[in-house]
Amino acid sequence: MSDTKQKALDFFKSKPEAKEVFATSDGFLFTKKADATTHAVTLNSDNPEVETFENKALPAEEVLQDEKLVQEYEDLFKVKPEEGLSNEDIQILIDAELEN
């Protein structure tokens, strides 16, 4: 395992609520991608490298679908929307179907 990956894992142990962390080629970690990119440019302006590490220990976020929107979708398509679709995705599908 690379030193940077180990640093990221250690970071997530100390900050278990963090969703992601960004690393530069010199091994520094940042919580904001913009900060990591700014630092990476100082290391190599022609090819600033920033690696993103996601916290795999976080539970998957549940997508709560609005009941009225789900009912409208069911009335239109005669099936329930797939789990994991956001309210925005459901609305886009409804709007597209109504335009036809």
Side-chain angles (χ1 to χ4, degrees):
M1 180 181 314
S2 73
D3 287 342
T4 305
K5 186 173 183 177
Q6 185 59 53
K7 284 182 181 181
L9 291 173
D10 291 342
F11 173 82
F12 291 133
K13 285 179 186 175
S14 68
K15 303 256 189 229
E17 73 284 355
K19 291 181 181 182
E20 57 191 3
V21 68
F22 307 95
T24 54
S25 60
D26 61 351
F28 280 93
L29 300 180
F30 297 85
T31 56
K32 295 179 183 174
K33 188 170 187 173
D35 293 342
T37 303
T38 300
H39 181 69
V41 168
T42 66
L43 300 172
N44 183 346
S45 61
D46 293 331
N47 187 22
E49 294 181 36
V50 174
E51 188 172 5
T52 303
F53 293 94
E54 294 181 3
N55 188 351
K56 304 288 186 199
L58 281 178
E61 290 183 26
E62 288 186 40
V63 176
L64 299 177
Q65 297 174 340
D66 181 84
E67 290 179 28
K68 290 180 183 178
L69 204 55
V70 169
Q71 186 61 51
E72 185 178 351
Y73 183 96
E74 285 182 43
D75 291 345
L76 189 60
F77 292 101
K78 307 301 183 218
V79 294
K80 289 185 178 245
E82 291 181 32
E83 286 187 34
L85 283 178
S86 68
N87 289 330
E88 183 179 350
D89 293 335
I90 294 171
Q91 187 64 59
I92 289 169
L93 293 169
I94 291 171
D95 293 344
E97 183 65 20
L98 291 175
E99 286 180 11
N100 292 332

